[in-house]
Amino acid sequence: MGVPLRQQFTVGSYLLKQKIKGVKKYPLVLMLEPLFRCNLACAGCGKIDYPDEILDKRLSYEECMQAVDECNAPMVSIPGGEPLIHKEMPKIIEGIIARKKYVYLCTNALLLKKRIDDYKPSPYLTFSVHLDGLRERHDASVCQDGVFDRAVEAIQLALSKGFRVTVNCTLFQGEQDHEVAEFLDYVTELGVEGVTIAPGFSYERAPKQDVFIKGREVKELFRGIFRIGKEKKRKWKLNHSALYLDYLAGNQSYNCTPWGNPTRNVFGWQKPCYLLADEGNASSFKELIETTPWEKYGTVNNPKCANCMAHCGYEATAVEDMLKNPIKGILTAIKGPRTSGDMVPEIAPVYAEVKSQPTFSGIPIRVE
């Protein structure tokens, strides 16, 4: 994993405390989304298709600190929109660091060179830079030429100033395993701390719907990537648990754990997760946990979740599995994800079950 031992110890201690207390639903990462406004319009983004009155809204410093304190997760991820647009972002980051929470500031890096002196290097702060592949692939993904080069330049600057830097990569249709492997080689040589990598979620609000990779195709892609990594003895630092990576390769059968990455944004606490925007909101973290009908969501229970394998839904599940089955987790971490053989069977969705009900005439009808 591309995570320092200090942070691993903090998160491990937090998880142990939750187990000792008998807490069933606990957060691992707070998704703090203080604005939706962005300076890019990516084809696969589901966050920018709002009217201007919504895009102009911001969570205040006070609201952000209240969310961090309410949730009390050991890690905070700040996505967007583009967080560097937020005028109070340096103050927000300082407030999170003062609480000794590990914060990942997600950015497309277009403003990073201009704003970098507003921040100070800290073991608690990481710039997570969005790169969806090498130059041609990334620029096509964000629908603007030249973004890749500007992002790489900003990464190099941040590293030279002593900041922790990771890369956040989302995979879409048309990906080739050897190209993704080449990209991982490239960012490893750049010197970033690690890479977060996952298939894109098919947002209903996304401008394009034909860009998302789904189902078995995802698992075959990741098997190919990991196979290349093993054959060429690559030492990629991926910011994921070993069992989540094994899940992406089709070797684990997991249900979603949406409360593991709760989301606070301009609408409130988003039900049930960061990815589903139209399921309602809660006014507090406590209300989110207690009133969300969690049983309605996940790949088996909801067609909106059918093709989701995102880390914000399944990383917490993999971590929970690691705690319950440490030997399996350790062996998987040592060997890496399995890249051949049968994949775990797909679980039939509950919502797709067909039931027969009699009509008044006694002739059965099929009801989806």
Side-chain angles (χ1 to χ4, degrees):
M1 290 180 65
V3 179
L5 286 174
R6 175 179 177 174
Q7 183 173 334
Q8 291 186 45
F9 178 78
T10 298
V11 175
S13 299
Y14 168 82
L15 293 171
L16 183 60
K17 289 178 183 177
Q18 306 312 305
K19 290 300 176 184
I20 292 174
K21 293 178 181 178
V23 180
K24 299 297 183 183
K25 293 183 173 65
Y26 55 86
L28 185 60
V29 180
L30 167 62
M31 307 292 284
L32 181 62
E33 196 170 22
L35 80 170
F36 293 148
R37 177 73 70 182
C38 191
N39 49 2
L40 286 175
C42 304
C45 181
K47 298 290 182 176
I48 57 174
D49 188 25
Y50 286 101
D52 283 341
E53 59 264 28
I54 300 299
L55 294 177
D56 288 338
K57 286 187 174 183
R58 307 284 187 271
L59 290 182
S60 67
Y61 166 80
E62 291 76 17
E63 288 174 317
C64 289
M65 294 306 102
Q66 182 181 5
V68 172
D69 292 339
E70 269 189 79
C71 179
N72 202 33
M75 295 179 286
V76 180
S77 177
I78 304 183
E82 171 50 53
L84 294 183
I85 294 175
H86 199 302
K87 293 181 179 179
E88 288 190 294
M89 190 51 59
K91 185 179 179 181
I92 292 169
I93 296 298
E94 287 180 2
I96 297 173
I97 291 175
R99 288 161 168 77
K100 298 189 183 304
K101 307 291 186 184
Y102 289 92
V103 54
Y104 286 81
L105 180 53
C106 305
T107 175
N108 57 39
L110 294 183
L111 293 173
L112 187 53
K113 287 181 65 178
K114 180 179 179 180
R115 303 284 169 79
I116 197 165
D117 289 335
D118 294 338
Y119 304 89
K120 297 177 182 179
S122 166
Y124 291 99
L125 170 62
T126 302
F127 287 114
S128 178
V129 179
H130 173 213
L131 285 179
D132 284 345
L134 294 174
R135 181 179 294 106
E136 183 178 352
R137 188 72 181 178
H138 180 65
D139 287 354
S141 175
V142 301
C143 305
Q144 185 173 316
D145 292 336
V147 175
F148 177 86
D149 290 335
R150 292 172 66 182
V152 168
E153 189 177 352
I155 288 172
Q156 293 170 328
L157 175 63
L159 290 171
S160 72
K161 288 181 173 290
F163 286 97
R164 293 178 61 187
V165 182
T166 62
V167 165
N168 178 21
C169 177
T170 305
L171 301 182
F172 295 99
Q173 276 287 353
E175 306 282 1
Q176 301 295 318
D177 53 15
H178 65 277
E179 292 178 350
V180 178
E182 185 181 355
F183 167 73
L184 292 174
D185 288 342
Y186 178 83
V187 294
T188 299
E189 291 174 4
L190 268 182
V192 300
E193 184 176 286
V195 182
T196 301
I197 187 168
F201 178 78
S202 51
Y203 290 102
E204 291 180 322
R205 291 177 172 271
K208 294 184 178 180
Q209 290 296 313
D210 59 352
V211 299
F212 300 106
I213 184 171
K214 302 175 181 179
R216 189 180 179 87
E217 187 179 355
V218 174
K219 301 169 186 177
E220 293 287 3
L221 173 62
F222 275 97
R223 281 198 172 191
I225 296 167
F226 298 146
R227 188 179 301 116
I228 292 171
K230 288 183 178 181
E231 291 172 351
K232 297 188 176 182
K233 298 182 179 179
R234 294 297 194 250
K235 294 184 178 180
W236 301 324
K237 295 180 180 179
L238 304 179
N239 276 13
H240 299 290
S241 66
L243 290 180
Y244 175 69
L245 297 176
D246 206 40
Y247 163 71
L248 290 177
N251 303 319
Q252 303 292 333
S253 179
Y254 286 149
N255 291 317
C256 178
T257 306
W259 56 83
N261 285 20
T263 297
R264 172 67 164 98
N265 59 31
V266 297
F267 295 123
W269 291 89
Q270 183 170 300
K271 298 181 179 182
C273 70
Y274 175 72
L275 300 172
L276 296 182
D278 301 316
E279 300 295 307
N281 301 280
S283 60
S284 68
F285 177 69
K286 185 174 185 292
E287 181 185 330
L288 174 76
I289 294 297
E290 294 180 351
T291 66
T292 303
W294 303 108
E295 69 282 356
K296 288 177 54 179
Y297 302 102
T299 53
V300 174
N301 300 317
N302 196 312
K304 290 184 178 181
C305 309
N307 295 296
C308 180
M309 297 180 72
H311 51 86
C312 63
Y314 291 90
E315 184 70 80
T317 310
V319 169
E320 182 74 14
D321 189 18
M322 179 86 73
L323 294 173
K324 293 179 179 178
N325 303 283
I327 301 301
K328 179 176 76 169
I330 292 170
L331 290 176
T332 303
I334 293 172
K335 297 179 180 179
R338 182 167 56 81
T339 58
S340 62
D342 293 337
M343 295 182 183
V344 294
E346 298 282 349
I347 302 175
V350 174
Y351 60 82
E353 289 182 355
V354 178
K355 298 179 180 180
S356 295
Q357 295 181 358
T359 63
F360 288 113
S361 62
I363 302 174
I365 61 173
R366 290 166 62 86
V367 180
E368 297 283 349

